[in-house]
Amino acid sequence: MECSVKGRRIAEVVVAAIAATGSFLGASTAVGAASLQLDGPKLYGSNGWEVVPLPFSDAKDLHIACISAKVCIASGASPDGNGASFLKTANGGVTWSNDGSYSPGMGDLSCVSNGFCIAVPYDGEPDLVASTSPGAPWLPIGSPPFASSNLRPVSATCIRAFCVVIGGDNHGNIPARAGAAFLTRDRGKTWHAIGLPPSIKDVQSLACMPNRRCYLVYDTYTRQFSDMALSANVGHSWVPVHRAAGFTSSGGFACPSSRGCVYLATQVLEVSSGDLPSWVHVYGPFSQKESNAVGAWALACTSSSQCMIGGDISSSSVAQEVVWIHGAIWSDKQVTHGLETAIFETSSSFANAATALSRATGDQGIAAAYSGLEETVQSNMATIAGLALHTRGHRQLQLGAIDSAWGSLHHSLVQIANSAQNSAAIDESILLSDVRAIVVAERNAGIVSNLTLPAGVPV
C-alpha cells in the first residue's frame, strides 16, 4: 500500500528535523509521567525522602519487594482495572519500567537477592505466581497441598533459604487445624507443612530474617487486634513476643537483617533491634502530624535504614499512587550518571521509532509508528522529571530546562499530527527549534548524546 501524502509528510518533517541536529536524547522505558505535575517532594517528603509517582489505579493494592538496594519490584492494580501490573526499578525507585502483568490482582509480594519473586493473587485464585528475575514472565506455580480444598494462598514471604506460604478461606480466615502453612526450599516444587500459633484467625504480616527466624503478625478469634509471635525453628513452634503499636498494614512489615525489623504503621516507621523486638518510632518521610492527604501501606527494606514506602497522596479528591524513596543518596554525580546511563541504554529506541515512522505505509501504519515515537518522547519527560526530583538549586534548573524542552517537542509533535490530519500547513522550523533546544539544554547540563539516524533513513 502506498503511503498517504499527509502520513509521509509527518514522517519527513520529524525525521528531517532530527537528522539536522545529529543528536538526540534517547527514549526511556520509564513510567510515571505524572511526576511532571506532582509537588510531592516539597509537600510530602522530608528527612531526605523523595516522592515518585506510580501508574497504578489503587494504592491499597500496592505491594513492593526489593531484590537489592537498587532493584525493586512493585505490583498494583492496573490502570485499566483489569488485574495487576508489575513494575521494576533498577535505580532505587527513581524511575520505573513495566515488568509484566497478570489477570487477577495481587495480595502479597516477596523477592529475594537471587532475583526470584513470588506473588499471591487474590479473588480465590488457587495458584501462586512467580518470576525468576526482573523482566522474566510471571507464571503460575502450584500452591501447597492445603488440608482443606477451600483454602487459597493469602500470604507469602521468601528469604534465600526458603519461602513460607499461608492459606486462608474466601474471607482470609485460617482454620484452627493444621495444614494451612507450608514451606518450600525449591521454589514450589515440593512443600513441607509447618505449624502456626494455635489462636490464629488471619494473617496481618509475615517476615523472616536471613538467619531464618520468622515473625508472624496476626489476629486472633478472641481479640480484635494484632499479636506477634516468633519462630526460631522454621514454624515448628511459636513464642509470643512484644509487638509495635498500630499494626494495621498487611504489606508493611520487613525483617531485612538478622538484628532488626521494620514495620509501617500509620505514617510512622517502627524499627526494632535485638532478638526480641524493642520498637522505636521513626517518622521517615512523614511529619509528626498525621496528614489526611497521605496514605501509606506498602514497605520494602534492604536494611533497617534503607526502605521504600508505597501509598498515595490525595490532591483535590484525586489520589496519585506513589512511593517514597531515600532521595538523599542521589548526589549530583549520581543524578548525572543516571541520566547518562538512560541515554546510552535507550537511544536506539528513539532511532528505531523514527525509522519505523519514515518507512511506514498507509494511514494506519503511519499512525501506529507516530504513536510509538510520541510515546518515547513522553517517556523521556518522565525519566528527566524523576531524576530532577533528586536535585537542588542550579542543577534542578538545568534538568528543568531539559524537561521543558522535551515538553515543547511533545507539544509540537501533537500539533504536527493534528495539522496533517486536518490538511493544514506544517511549520518544520518549530520542530527543528524544539530539537535544538533539547540539545542546548543537554550541553548546558554537561550531558551530550551521540545519537544519529541509521544509514538509509530518508531525509
Side-chain angles (χ1 to χ4, degrees):
M1 181 187 299
E2 292 298 325
C3 178
S4 68
V5 174
K6 64 183 180 182
R8 174 59 62 188
R9 189 60 173 154
I10 297 175
E12 289 176 350
V13 172
V14 174
V15 174
I18 296 170
T21 68
S23 176
F24 212 92
L25 181 63
S28 168
T29 56
V31 295
S35 57
L36 296 171
Q37 290 82 37
L38 187 67
D39 290 328
K42 290 178 287 187
L43 299 178
Y44 301 108
S46 62
N47 303 324
W49 293 72
E50 305 283 4
V51 181
V52 178
L54 296 175
F56 291 135
S57 59
D58 188 349
K60 291 183 179 180
D61 283 340
L62 176 63
H63 298 276
I64 309 170
C66 288
I67 295 169
S68 67
K70 290 187 176 181
V71 181
C72 299
I73 303 294
S75 69
S78 61
D80 60 7
N82 185 22
S85 293
F86 291 94
L87 305 176
K88 62 183 176 183
T89 178
N91 52 19
V94 178
T95 56
W96 295 81
S97 60
N98 292 321
D99 194 49
S101 61
Y102 197 74
S103 54
M106 293 297 145
D108 205 359
L109 176 67
S110 183
C111 296
V112 290
S113 58
N114 61 11
F116 176 74
C117 295
I118 191 169
V120 179
Y122 55 63
D123 291 337
E125 285 292 309
D127 291 324
L128 298 162
V129 183
S131 173
T132 56
S133 64
W138 289 85
L139 301 174
I141 62 174
S143 290
F146 295 121
S148 177
S149 61
N150 72 329
L151 297 186
R152 298 290 185 266
V154 295
S155 176
T157 189
C158 294
I159 59 176
R160 290 202 66 154
F162 58 77
C163 294
V164 174
V165 176
I166 300 176
D169 61 21
N170 291 335
H171 300 288
N173 295 330
I174 298 170
R177 60 186 179 276
F182 286 80
L183 177 146
T184 179
R185 292 185 173 88
D186 53 14
R187 301 183 176 182
K189 294 179 182 178
T190 58
W191 297 94
H192 308 278
I194 62 174
L196 292 172
S199 58
I200 188 170
K201 176 181 181 288
D202 56 54
V203 175
Q204 292 270 6
S205 288
L206 173 66
C208 296
M209 293 177 162
N211 64 1
R212 307 187 183 194
R213 296 166 67 90
C214 294
Y215 290 90
L216 178 66
V217 184
Y218 61 99
D219 287 336
T220 70
Y221 281 95
T222 57
R223 293 186 293 182
Q224 298 303 313
F225 55 87
S226 301
D227 287 343
M228 177 182 280
L230 161 68
S231 177
N233 51 19
V234 198
H236 292 291
S237 63
W238 295 87
V239 178
V241 295
H242 179 65
R243 65 178 178 84
F247 274 97
T248 56
S249 172
S250 61
F253 188 36
C255 294
S257 75
S258 296
R259 297 294 298 171
C261 298
V262 183
Y263 184 79
L264 174 62
T266 305
Q267 297 179 32
V268 174
L269 288 177
E270 301 277 1
V271 179
S272 73
S273 60
D275 291 338
L276 297 179
S278 176
W279 300 92
V280 177
H281 291 322
V282 179
Y283 283 92
F286 312 112
S287 66
Q288 296 188 19
K289 183 179 180 181
E290 183 178 336
S291 171
N292 292 330
V294 174
W297 295 276
L299 177 73
C301 300
T302 54
S303 72
S304 295
S305 59
Q306 181 67 43
C307 298
M308 183 181 297
I309 299 171
D312 66 14
I313 294 175
S314 300
S315 176
S316 302
S317 301
V318 177
Q320 169 69 62
E321 284 62 54
V322 301
V323 290
W324 286 266
I325 64 175
H326 285 275
I329 66 173
W330 284 87
S331 65
D332 180 79
K333 182 178 179 180
Q334 287 171 304
V335 171
T336 300
H337 176 72
L339 188 59
E340 289 175 342
T341 300
I343 293 171
F344 175 78
E345 291 180 348
T346 62
S347 60
S348 61
S349 296
F350 187 89
N352 291 338
T355 300
L357 180 63
S358 68
R359 294 176 177 174
T361 57
D363 290 347
Q364 192 170 8
I366 287 288
Y370 172 79
S371 177
L373 180 61
E374 185 185 351
E375 286 177 7
T376 62
V377 174
Q378 204 166 22
S379 294
N380 273 310
M381 294 164 63
T383 299
I384 296 165
L387 290 166
L389 291 174
H390 307 278
T391 62
R392 295 292 183 270
H394 181 63
R395 187 60 173 164
Q396 191 173 54
L397 293 176
Q398 290 178 327
L399 291 192
I402 299 175
D403 185 30
S404 177
W406 270 104
S408 295
L409 177 62
H410 182 260
H411 177 75
S412 295
L413 288 172
V414 173
Q415 292 295 102
I416 286 174
N418 291 338
S419 298
Q421 189 172 16
N422 298 325
S423 300
I426 299 174
D427 189 349
E428 301 174 19
S429 63
I430 294 177
L431 186 60
L432 181 60
S433 175
D434 291 333
V435 177
R436 283 175 174 165
I438 292 174
V439 174
V440 170
E442 286 179 31
R443 290 175 178 170
N444 288 341
I447 300 169
V448 180
S449 59
N450 298 308
L451 177 65
T452 58
L453 288 174
V457 175
V459 178

